[in-house]
Amino acid sequence: MKYWLLNATCGLLILVLLGAHMAMMHLDMTLGLLWGSNADPLSWDQVALRGESRTMTIGYVVLLGAALFHGLYGLHTVLTEFLAGQRAARLIRMGCWATGILLFLVGTASTLIFHQFGSLP
């Protein structure tokens, strides 16, 4: 039950963070009218500014963790329903955790490296 609740919480977190991403990246004309900014959100200067922002870096890492947990928990659920047996369920669980941790470490490292060196030419 606790993993299901964590999965639902991650789904809600993904919804909020992706909504913020969509607003910043794809509704730039509407937000530009509200906040007076008409800079292209896909230009390198804007990408580097977001990459140097501590808030955005933390948001990207949280989004990565939530998306990985949500997706791998769903994959675990589907695979354990099709493959019966305690041994198969244990192998699937260990594989999902190992894959999630590895992908989270790689994604977090790349995000932190960009945060540190994003303004270099």
Side-chain angles (χ1 to χ4, degrees), residues 3 6 68-69 72-73 76 89-104:
Y3 287 121
L6 184 59
L68 280 171
F69 182 82
L72 289 172
Y73 181 77
H76 170 267
R90 193 171 121 192
L91 287 173
I92 292 168
R93 186 179 319 114
M94 289 185 337
C96 285
W97 275 106
T99 302
I101 289 170
L102 178 70
L103 290 174
F104 183 75

Side-chain angles (χ1 to χ4, degrees), residues 20 29 46 59 63 69 77 94 120:
M29 293 296 276
Q46 292 298 316
L63 178 61
F69 182 82
T77 303
M94 289 185 337
L120 294 178

Side-chain angles (χ1 to χ4, degrees), residues 17-35:
L17 290 174
L18 282 181
H21 168 80
M22 292 297 287
M24 284 188 295
M25 296 297 294
H26 304 290
L27 298 175
D28 56 329
M29 293 296 276
T30 306
L31 293 176
L33 292 173
L34 294 175
W35 291 325

Side-chain angles (χ1 to χ4, degrees), residues 29-83:
M29 293 296 276
T30 306
L31 293 176
L33 292 173
L34 294 175
W35 291 325
S37 173
N38 56 0
D40 180 23
L42 299 178
S43 70
W44 176 253
D45 295 333
Q46 292 298 316
V47 171
L49 274 175
R50 281 192 310 273
E52 292 172 355
S53 166
R54 198 172 292 227
T55 306
M56 293 299 290
T57 301
I58 291 170
Y60 287 145
V61 171
V62 170
L63 178 61
L64 173 67
L68 280 171
F69 182 82
H70 189 74
L72 289 172
Y73 181 77
L75 179 66
H76 170 267
T77 303
V78 168
L79 289 178
T80 53
E81 289 202 10
F82 282 118
L83 301 171

